[in-house]
Amino acid sequence: MAETAVAKQSPFNWEAKDVRGTRVKGKTMAANEAAVRATLRRQGLVPTRIRKQSTLFQTAQKITTEDIAIFSRQLATMMAAGIPLVQAFDIVGAGHENQSMQKLIMAIKTDIEGGATLAESLAKHPVYFDELFVNLVQAGEQSGALETLLDKIATYKEKTEAIKKKIKKALTYPMAVVAVAIIVTAILLIYVIPTFETLFQSFGADLPSFTRMVVDLSLFVRTKGWAILIGVVGTIAALIFFKKRSPKFAHFLDRTQLKIPIVGEILRKAAIARYARTLSTMFAAGVPLVEALESVAGATGNIVYQEGVLMIREEVATGQRLQRAMEATDLFPNMVVQMVAVGEESGSLDDMCAKVADFYEAEVDAMVDNLSSLLEPAIMAILGILVGGLVVAMYLPIFKLGAVI
């Protein structure tokens, strides 16, 4: 219902005068012009001109997690500067280039003007603001330290987005190069090699074994290529489908990913970093440990660690120390467990978890950079051998013919 309400609103550009007669301008999301006038009057402004912004040539933009992270930092900065919440939403919303995000911000602002708390307004949009985000905002409102909690949320979002980008960077580059290699090879096999095959047949001589193998491969790709493509796409679609539908299969895939050399270690350290960062943020906000662990589980990004954290939560709920519960899962290195133990003993669990998160985020950064450095020459070499091998196979008969002449 909340998303439908957002979609019905449109952007309005307006001009008005404040109590001192100063002319001000702005942009507001509303259902109609009357709603804009009512909003401006509630803010002590006298509207002089209201014009609906044309959306004829605008296309809907997707709201990304990066948009939410930027919004969190902007709102935290505004609150820290002493700007009232409603006015902060006006400023942030008016300056956002993403129209979908602008509509979302203005819809939240409308709810707040209607008497709802910020946490209640955000909870109406669970697609963009998860339970962790809403819980932290609620804790900030209840404790009277909303600007401090918003700053922690912004930092948390920025850190988690940064680590996601690093992992994507580590995986995207080799996948892109491999995709280019496959496309180039397919073009050679489908279009180039048949031309050489016709030329070779005119020689009337036996082809070298390597060339014959490549020609046969070209024939196979031309006749069975669509079946191969359908099979590959179908397999990928099936993997995605079953991962979403089957917890056991998703668990198997995530556990398998953790066993991949180098990449698995990056994913493992990233999961630990997210665990520590989320736990630090929630514990610092005053959220009880058992309740915090429930939100932390969903933030790890890996089902193996998610299930492990839920087991930790059950142990802690029965009175077990966090350190002992973490040891029992066998998912966390000894250093992490010992730092958590020190944090529990000294009453500074949030600080210790933040230090763990900083350390593992730096580890992920270093590993991703090293992986990229190692993969680049290796992939280039494989690409050169693959394409170069096809070219050599096609020119071998020509070299043989020249030797005979």
Side-chain angles (χ1 to χ4, degrees), residues 30-293:
N32 50 50
E33 186 175 326
V36 178
R37 290 184 182 277
T39 300
L40 294 176
R41 288 196 182 99
R42 282 198 297 270
Q43 296 175 10
L45 300 173
V46 179
T48 57
R49 185 185 179 195
I50 299 174
R51 182 169 56 87
K52 186 176 181 180
Q53 184 176 316
S54 175
T55 57
L56 181 62
F57 301 104
Q58 295 176 353
T59 56
Q61 293 174 277
K62 183 180 178 182
I63 297 176
T64 64
T65 51
E66 187 175 1
D67 288 328
I68 300 299
I70 293 172
F71 162 73
S72 304
R73 173 55 64 195
Q74 289 174 325
L75 192 59
T77 304
M78 296 283 179
M79 293 292 292
I83 297 174
L85 186 60
V86 173
Q87 188 178 347
F89 269 89
D90 258 333
I91 297 170
V92 174
H96 217 290
E97 295 180 358
N98 187 335
Q99 293 294 324
S100 299
M101 188 67 192
Q102 191 178 93
K103 290 179 180 180
L104 176 64
I105 292 171
M106 292 308 175
I108 296 170
K109 176 200 151 195
T110 302
D111 287 336
I112 294 172
E113 288 177 326
T117 65
L118 178 56
E120 291 170 344
S121 303
L122 296 176
K124 292 181 179 180
H125 311 277
V127 174
Y128 310 116
F129 302 100
D130 55 20
E131 186 179 353
L132 170 63
F133 199 116
V134 174
N135 286 344
L136 289 173
V137 169
Q138 187 175 27
E141 289 181 308
Q142 291 174 351
S143 63
L146 181 59
E147 59 274 11
T148 303
L149 263 296
L150 283 172
D151 181 70
K152 288 183 179 295
I153 292 170
T155 302
Y156 167 75
K157 284 288 182 182
E158 288 164 354
K159 294 281 188 180
T160 52
E161 280 305 301
I163 203 167
K164 283 180 183 178
K165 284 183 178 179
K166 282 287 183 180
I167 295 172
K168 286 180 180 178
K169 177 185 173 184
L171 300 177
T172 300
Y173 176 75
M175 290 173 63
V177 175
V178 169
V180 170
I182 292 172
I183 292 171
V184 170
T185 303
I187 291 172
L188 290 174
L189 290 173
I190 295 171
Y191 298 106
V192 179
I193 290 177
T195 304
F196 278 88
E197 184 181 6
T198 304
L199 178 63
F200 297 154
Q201 288 174 351
S202 66
F203 292 165
D206 292 334
L207 296 177
S209 301
F210 185 37
T211 304
R212 171 49 56 192
M213 182 182 69
V214 172
V215 169
D216 291 341
L217 178 61
S218 172
L219 179 63
F220 177 79
V221 171
R222 279 179 285 153
T223 55
K224 307 290 185 182
W226 286 110
I228 297 172
L229 182 62
I230 292 172
V232 171
V233 172
T235 301
I236 294 172
L239 288 174
I240 295 172
F241 176 82
F242 285 112
K243 182 175 182 179
K244 290 181 177 179
R245 297 294 191 279
S246 171
K248 289 185 178 179
F249 187 70
H251 187 282
F252 168 76
L253 284 183
D254 280 7
R255 184 172 289 280
T256 302
Q257 288 175 357
L258 295 176
K259 293 179 180 178
I260 300 173
I262 302 178
V263 174
E265 189 64 20
I266 291 175
L267 295 176
R268 186 181 299 277
K269 289 184 176 182
I272 293 172
R274 283 194 290 262
Y275 165 84
R277 179 68 62 193
T278 311
L279 184 59
S280 170
T281 304
M282 295 206 72
F283 202 71
V287 179
L289 184 57
V290 174
E291 186 179 334
L293 285 169

